[in-house]
Amino acid sequence: MSAAEQHIPGVFTGMMAVARRDLLLAWKRPGDVLNPLFFFAMVATLFPLSVGPSIEQLELSGPGVLWVAALLAMLLSLNSLFLTDHEDGSLEQMLVSPLPLSALALGKTIAHWLTSGLPLVLVSPLLAMTFRMPVAVTGVLMLTLLLGTVSLSLLGSIGAALTVGLQRSTALLSLLILPLAMPVLIFGARTVSLAAAGEGVAGGLYFLAAYAVLTLSLAPFAAAAALRISNE
Amino acid sequence: MTAKLTCDDLTLFRGDRCLFEGLSFALKPSELLLLEGDNGSGKTSLLRAIAGLIELERGRVCWNDVPVLAQRQSFHNSLVWMAHRVGFKADLTLVENLQFESALRLQCAAELEAVLVRLGIHRLKRLPMRSLSAGQQRRVALARMLLSDAVLWMMDEPVTNLDREGRSLVMQLISEHLSRDGMVIMASHEDVEIDAPVQTIRLQ
Amino acid sequence: MTPRRQRMLAVGLAASGIIIATALTLEALKDNMMFFISVTDVVAGEYPADRNFRIGGLVVDGSMQRETGSMDILFRVTDLRCEMSVTYSGVLPDLFREGQGVVAHGRMDRSGMFIADRIMAKHDENYMAPEVAASLAENVNEQTADLVQGGPECDS
Amino acid sequence: MWNLLHRLASPPHFYRLAAGMIPWFAVSGLLAVAYGAYAGLFIAPPDYQQGDAFRIIYVHVPSAYLSMMAYVIMATGAGIGLIWRMKLAHAVAAAAAPLGAWFTFLALVTGSIWGRPMWGTWWEWGDPRLTSELVMLFLYFGYIALRGAIDDTAKADRASAVLALVGAVNVPIIHFSVEWWSSLHQGPTLIRKGGPAIDSAMLYPLLAMILGFTLLFGALLLRRVRTEVLYRERRTKWVREMILSTPGNNL
């Protein structure tokens, strides 16, 4: 059997194995999932406390505040995406595995989204209620968060991979990710605002979907390249 | 086809320091390559460079006459890697960790149970890795090698943290692997007694 | 699956992802996330009540009235289909001219008057010497294309 | 052809070649800027709408164009360095980043100064052109910060190259933003269907300024790349020989 034809484990199996392992780890350490969630809730609470309880004010600022809080919560959880793997040597084992690194990075990103992105989407209606958001608008908020957090997880995987071996990487990670995350924030918050004003939301949702698909197609490769470089 | 690892003119700098320069060697089945040198002499870097984890300043590594960077996946399919850090998740049990490994590397050369018995860690199966001692974790890393059918074993200080019995077990496992036409590259700062053809590279 | 086929699959998936993303972007651009609301829509009553929003259009020629001794001005804005009245109190941007594009931020009052709290002049991409501009026939310059929307004529 | 490229990319050769090119770039750039500035300020007629205030375009347009150009150069250098492992390309990318950041900053500031009297606002958050240009400034910051955080030059080169390539998505967004979303910033004046929409008496100074800025940018870039190359090659024989052979140098 020549080297080129040699069979190696299934890409999909490997990707799912990584995702399953990370989900199992999250299950054994629920704090890692819950902390960003509490952070999300608390940041969203800070605004009514600081801006004042005027209902008009809350309705107006709700979409933006919830989106900023979600973005910050995602950033908070990203730092550890590859860090523990780097520290205990399992990242090195992935680097010498016969599976494409991009698939493994995607597997980890999927687990990250399931443990930090999806919970945000699920608790957002509760917070939306405190901002007096109508049910229909809350639906749009959840939809934008659903599409937006996918992009944020994927973009974050690039940033986390670039900063994995570095000292004091938290601030740097934010600096690298935020410019790329800004379109998500702009369109996410704006779409919810438009929904609140009773206007069409299709354009914004299409854009968020486009960004999610684009990052899904490119980010795993960029993250894999970054991981190899960071681990030299 | 018999496997063959050829390294040609390997040169690596770390910052401004030259770790090794113009290093060439070849490894055939049943051969052991021993990398010797003091701490910080670049043994680990050389191992990592051969495995394709570090970009070399100059030179290239070929597996079956094809550069490994052009066929990274096939090369890694023929390789198991035992580093300083064992690469297991502290929160998962021994068995969960090894199951994950087998998903990454499909081939299973041996029965899990038998391997664990041989290494004397079958009683620890359900324990999380964090409750294992450093030497026991080392043995789990050995289990990873035995479970794989990879030709090339790359080991960085494999006997660290192991007791006398563990050390002789490692040597025995290496001998067995070599007798099955396997190849071993090992970095060690201790003397190794093994009954096989040994090439030694001493790094300054 | 061999590494080679895996790579081809990965490239194929990424390429199709990019194509899908492009299609979605084009779809997104069809739905104009308006920076401002057109005059026609406002006249037709399609604007958010009790909330600030932006309108965009051209300042109608000869419609500007300034109260002497005050900063208050009144002018009419058109999208060449409908017209509406706008009041504003404050300093106007230099580019604010009759016949030129304007974006006003504010809200509607009950009488159908737009109370602007901020006026922004929209500049066009044309640069001309004054004498050249004067010699050009009175026309709607191209900058106004995005301020003017297609649609039915206005009855008001 | 390949040989020529290879020779060009060899650090000592480039170092000498660039030294010869910099004066030409600098002098011709200064001449073009001098003509452009004089003609733009004194010869070109005032705009029929903006009066004399339009003259800020003679700084704003070249800066905005170079802010994107620098990013394209940076991303191209990063890509070439990553794929063909060409060290000179990495040096070019590293040298282009701070220049690009400064031109982006200049474009934003001049735009803002113009925007206050003309549009009636210093800054408009809803405008896609302004926002995407600001994002570009942040991308430059991220790139520079990432380089600064990694000690090993070779590693810094490759890590920041990945970031530069990822961020390149923003460049077409900036360019097309005024066409995709109608907003405050006007559409393209120079590169548009039906030719430039600008009086030729205003156009020629503008073209001279764009050319002059580009040439000066080229001179600055070459200077910075030379410094980068010298720093990166500081342990090599050619640098040592060059320094030793410099007259008056008793190292």
Side-chain angles (χ1 to χ4, degrees):
Chain A
M1 189 161 63
S2 88
E5 287 166 9
Q6 196 178 15
H7 281 258
I8 56 174
V11 181
F12 193 72
T13 324
M15 189 168 86
M16 283 303 133
V18 174
R20 192 160 359 99
R21 185 198 63 172
D22 276 18
L23 289 177
L24 194 59
L25 280 169
W27 176 254
K28 296 199 176 188
R29 282 183 159 274
D32 292 354
V33 177
L34 291 176
N35 289 353
L37 214 51
F38 288 135
F39 178 83
F40 177 51
M42 280 184 208
V43 171
T45 324
L46 287 180
F47 278 82
L49 290 177
S50 60
V51 174
S54 130
I55 289 175
E56 192 191 358
Q57 189 82 267
L58 286 182
E59 282 175 346
L60 218 58
S61 60
V65 169
L66 290 175
W67 252 100
V68 169
L71 177 62
L72 293 179
M74 288 294 282
L75 270 183
L76 193 69
S77 64
L78 275 171
N79 203 32
S80 60
L81 182 54
F82 295 113
L83 194 62
T84 49
D85 286 359
H86 177 69
E87 282 165 353
D88 64 22
S90 49
L91 185 55
E92 208 167 61
Q93 289 294 338
M94 283 189 224
L95 290 171
V96 295
S97 107
L99 288 167
L101 188 57
S102 46
L104 303 182
L106 181 58
K108 282 197 69 73
T109 313
I110 290 171
H112 174 263
W113 182 75
L114 287 173
T115 52
S116 13
L118 191 58
L120 294 184
V121 178
L122 296 178
V123 300
S124 61
L126 278 177
L127 293 168
M129 244 158 60
T130 65
F131 281 87
R132 311 280 174 135
M133 208 178 264
V135 179
V137 181
T138 307
V140 175
L141 173 73
M142 289 179 76
L143 209 53
T144 58
L145 281 175
L146 193 72
L147 292 168
T149 50
V150 171
S151 305
L152 294 181
S153 272
L154 287 158
L155 289 173
S157 73
I158 305 175
L162 281 171
T163 53
V164 71
L166 303 176
Q167 305 284 312
R168 297 179 296 278
S169 56
T170 322
L172 183 62
L173 175 65
S174 313
L175 194 58
L176 302 188
I177 292 308
L178 281 176
L180 297 167
M182 275 175 194
V184 181
L185 178 78
I186 293 168
F187 281 90
R190 190 156 164 67
T191 306
V192 182
S193 293
L194 284 175
E199 284 169 54
V201 294
L205 291 178
Y206 276 127
F207 186 86
L208 288 171
Y211 210 71
V213 174
L214 186 71
T215 46
L216 185 62
S217 343
L218 298 179
F221 301 104
L227 278 177
R228 285 208 191 282
I229 294 163
S230 297
N231 274 276
E232 282 206 344
Chain B
M1 187 177 76
T2 49
K4 186 170 74 175
L5 180 78
T6 35
C7 296
D8 195 25
D9 192 27
L10 304 188
T11 303
L12 186 70
F13 289 83
R14 262 287 174 256
D16 292 326
R17 204 163 67 91
C18 172
L19 291 181
F20 44 85
E21 194 165 14
L23 212 55
S24 299
F25 53 85
L27 195 67
K28 292 195 290 292
S30 306
E31 282 185 349
L32 170 76
L33 175 68
L34 187 63
L35 310 177
E36 286 182 336
D38 303 326
N39 289 334
S41 60
K43 298 186 300 268
T44 304
S45 294
L46 178 54
L47 269 181
R48 288 169 60 84
I50 297 170
L53 292 179
I54 299 184
E55 188 159 306
L56 286 156
E57 185 82 17
R58 217 170 55 226
R60 65 181 186 176
V61 183
C62 289
W63 179 250
N64 299 331
D65 298 320
V66 183
V68 298
L69 292 179
Q71 47 149 2
R72 207 190 313 248
Q73 288 177 249
S74 307
F75 176 55
H76 285 168
N77 203 30
S78 317
L79 173 159
V80 266
W81 175 255
M82 182 168 170
H84 272 296
R85 290 169 297 186
V86 286
F88 292 118
K89 287 283 157 198
D91 290 321
L92 299 185
T93 65
L94 191 162
V95 144
E96 282 166 343
N97 269 306
L98 286 177
Q99 275 166 351
F100 171 67
E101 295 293 333
S102 66
L104 282 197
R105 324 186 141 264
L106 209 65
Q107 352 77 325
C108 245
E111 195 70 36
L112 176 66
E113 195 65 34
V115 167
L116 295 185
V117 170
R118 169 117 207 243
L119 294 169
I121 45 175
H122 58 289
R123 284 175 200 289
L124 312 171
K125 252 166 67 173
R126 308 271 163 224
L127 291 179
M129 286 300 276
R130 66 165 70 260
S131 60
L132 269 57
S133 75
Q136 286 168 330
Q137 294 196 10
R138 215 73 198 154
R139 284 171 189 252
V140 186
L142 286 171
R144 165 160 53 211
M145 312 203 88
L146 291 181
L147 285 170
S148 129
D149 67 355
V151 178
L152 178 60
W153 285 12
M154 298 187 75
M155 310 168 97
D156 195 359
E157 308 282 1
V159 293
T160 318
N161 293 327
L162 286 175
D163 50 21
R164 187 192 302 261
E165 184 213 343
R167 286 165 196 236
S168 63
L169 181 64
V170 170
M171 294 310 152
Q172 202 183 337
L173 292 175
I174 292 177
S175 295
E176 282 172 20
H177 183 60
L178 293 173
S179 70
R180 287 192 304 260
D181 281 348
M183 297 149 87
V184 177
I185 303 178
M186 183 165 117
S188 177
H189 59 266
E190 291 173 55
D191 291 334
V192 175
E193 289 165 22
I194 212 150
D195 187 25
V198 178
Q199 282 186 66
T200 307
I201 292 178
R202 194 162 173 81
L203 295 171
Q204 299 304 318
Chain C
M1 209 168 19
T2 63
R4 197 188 150 78
R5 291 187 59 186
Q6 282 182 2
R7 243 187 322 267
M8 279 162 61
L9 182 73
V11 170
L13 282 176
S16 47
I18 292 168
I19 292 167
I20 293 170
T22 312
L24 285 167
T25 311
L26 291 176
E27 198 61 37
L29 291 175
K30 264 191 219 163
D31 189 74
N32 196 355
M33 291 184 79
M34 288 295 279
F35 182 67
F36 45 74
I37 299 175
S38 75
V39 178
T40 305
D41 285 346
V42 176
V43 172
E46 288 169 18
Y47 61 85
D50 311 321
R51 197 169 67 85
N52 285 328
F53 60 95
R54 290 198 193 87
I55 58 159
L58 303 173
V59 181
V60 177
D61 276 325
S63 72
M64 199 164 105
Q65 301 163 27
R66 191 186 287 272
E67 293 208 11
T68 40
S70 91
M71 301 280 270
D72 296 349
I73 60 155
L74 172 73
F75 59 92
R76 289 181 69 73
V77 171
T78 176
D79 60 357
L80 301 186
R81 224 157 273 112
C82 298
E83 282 186 25
M84 60 186 283
S85 296
V86 176
T87 66
Y88 174 69
S89 175
V91 180
L92 287 168
D94 280 15
L95 277 185
F96 184 87
R97 301 281 151 78
E98 292 182 346
Q100 285 289 312
V102 68
V103 175
H105 178 264
R107 62 172 70 203
M108 293 295 283
D109 74 357
R110 283 203 201 104
S111 63
M113 172 79 80
F114 190 81
I115 318 285
D117 55 23
R118 234 172 69 193
I119 295 283
M120 287 165 282
K122 183 158 163 62
H123 172 54
D124 59 19
E125 67 269 31
N126 297 306
Y127 293 84
M128 282 180 272
E131 51 272 31
V132 180
S135 72
L136 279 180
E138 181 85 5
N139 63 346
V140 179
N141 52 38
E142 286 176 49
Q143 54 122 350
T144 56
D146 53 14
L147 293 167
V148 178
Q149 283 190 321
E153 283 292 324
C154 202
D155 358 305
S156 60
Chain D
M1 172 67 196
W2 193 245
N3 263 337
L4 182 78
L5 257 176
H6 225 78
R7 238 164 59 91
L8 268 177
S10 102
H13 191 264
F14 171 84
Y15 189 81
R16 272 186 291 273
L17 189 73
M21 279 157 67
I22 290 171
W24 294 100
F25 273 74
V27 169
S28 55
L30 280 173
L31 285 175
V33 167
Y35 162 73
Y38 177 76
L41 290 179
F42 300 106
I43 298 178
D47 183 57
Y48 74 123
Q49 289 288 346
Q50 308 172 42
D52 283 330
F54 95 97
R55 296 182 201 277
I56 204 162
I57 64 163
Y58 293 117
V59 181
H60 177 73
V61 173
S63 310
Y65 149 74
L66 278 175
S67 70
M68 283 192 269
M69 194 60 191
Y71 199 97
V72 171
I73 290 173
M74 183 175 100
T76 312
I80 292 174
L82 209 55
I83 296 169
W84 286 290
R85 290 153 210 258
M86 194 191 279
K87 286 178 184 170
L88 186 64
H90 281 307
V92 170
L99 289 176
W102 276 112
F103 279 112
T104 312
F105 179 72
L106 201 57
L108 286 169
V109 169
T110 50
S112 187
I113 292 172
W114 179 88
R116 179 61 205 155
M118 291 299 144
W119 288 345
T121 177
W122 289 106
W123 184 259
E124 178 51 49
W125 280 112
D127 188 278
R129 172 60 71 83
L130 272 57
T131 312
S132 52
E133 185 78 5
L134 187 65
V135 166
M136 175 123 98
L137 185 63
F138 292 154
L139 282 173
Y140 279 123
F141 287 166
Y143 179 89
I144 294 167
L146 183 62
R147 288 203 79 88
I150 305 174
D151 297 325
D152 183 54
T153 314
K155 198 168 154 182
D157 278 343
R158 303 198 299 131
S160 55
V162 172
L163 186 70
L165 289 175
V166 170
V169 182
N170 192 39
V171 177
I173 295 183
I174 297 179
H175 182 74
F176 291 113
S177 55
V178 286
E179 292 172 22
W180 287 350
W181 299 283
S182 85
S183 173
L184 217 50
H185 198 286
Q186 69 264 28
T189 294
L190 297 179
I191 305 163
R192 66 197 277 277
K193 265 187 262 170
I198 179 168
D199 195 301
S200 57
M202 299 164 163
L203 175 64
Y204 294 127
L206 181 59
L207 292 180
M209 286 303 266
I210 292 175
L211 181 70
F213 265 58
T214 311
L215 289 167
L216 288 179
F217 169 80
L220 285 172
L221 183 66
L222 286 173
R223 248 193 93 95
R224 290 187 55 89
V225 177
R226 276 188 95 211
T227 318
E228 275 285 336
V229 166
L230 199 59
Y231 177 73
R232 286 155 184 251
E233 302 271 313
R234 63 193 180 280
R235 311 276 159 182
T236 59
K237 221 169 84 189
W238 73 267
V239 173
R240 189 187 300 256
E241 279 167 2
M242 187 186 67
I243 291 171
L244 287 177
S245 65
T246 310
N249 195 338
N250 0 305
L251 265 175

